[in-house]
Amino acid sequence: MDLAVILSQINNFRVHSEIKDYNISDFFDAVMEKIDKLKKLNHSEKEQLLDTLFAFLNNHNPELEEDFSFIHLIESIDKPNYTIYSKKLLENNIKRPSLTSVLLLNRYINSLHGKAWGKAVVVVRKVVENIKKTTFMTEDTLNYCEYQIK
């Protein structure tokens, strides 16, 4: 299986009201297994995969429950330096934060120190401003953001 097939599968996967949480986890666990079989991804392939995974978040309800199979998958793509992932994560949270993307942002910020932490907190402030302008985000999401600001 090549990356194009995996990307297509992710693009075509839709979460709907009848789907069970374990079906979502099973799907992303299977995706991770397929990616692991590809061995090492180059920079461009990592970008494509991360773009597709963030598009998945953006194509669903922002209050879609966090799925840790998805979270572990997206966090694993750009190990160990996370340069592609961190840039896309910050951009995604500025443009269209969701429960999952804010949780990812919180997890990412917890690993930062110094100037990198400060830059990420600026993004968190923008996220909080955007969230307060809408009603779709839960109190938990605001708490993640406010925790990082303090």
Side-chain angles (χ1 to χ4, degrees), residues 90-104:
L90 296 172
E91 288 171 357
N92 192 76
N93 273 289
I94 291 170
K95 292 177 184 172
R96 187 158 185 232
S98 66
L99 289 176
T100 301
S101 71
V102 172
L103 175 62
L104 289 166

Side-chain angles (χ1 to χ4, degrees), residues 125-137 142 146 149:
R125 288 175 194 227
K126 290 180 183 177
V127 171
V128 168
E129 290 170 10
N130 289 339
I131 290 171
K132 288 182 177 178
K133 293 177 186 171
T134 66
T135 59
F136 71 90
M137 300 298 269
L142 284 173
E146 290 169 355
I149 291 171

Side-chain angles (χ1 to χ4, degrees), residues 13-25 27 60 64:
F13 183 66
R14 293 289 176 259
V15 176
H16 48 79
S17 60
E18 284 85 44
I19 197 166
K20 304 290 184 200
D21 289 344
Y22 65 84
N23 295 125
I24 300 169
S25 293
F27 174 80
H60 288 83
L64 176 69

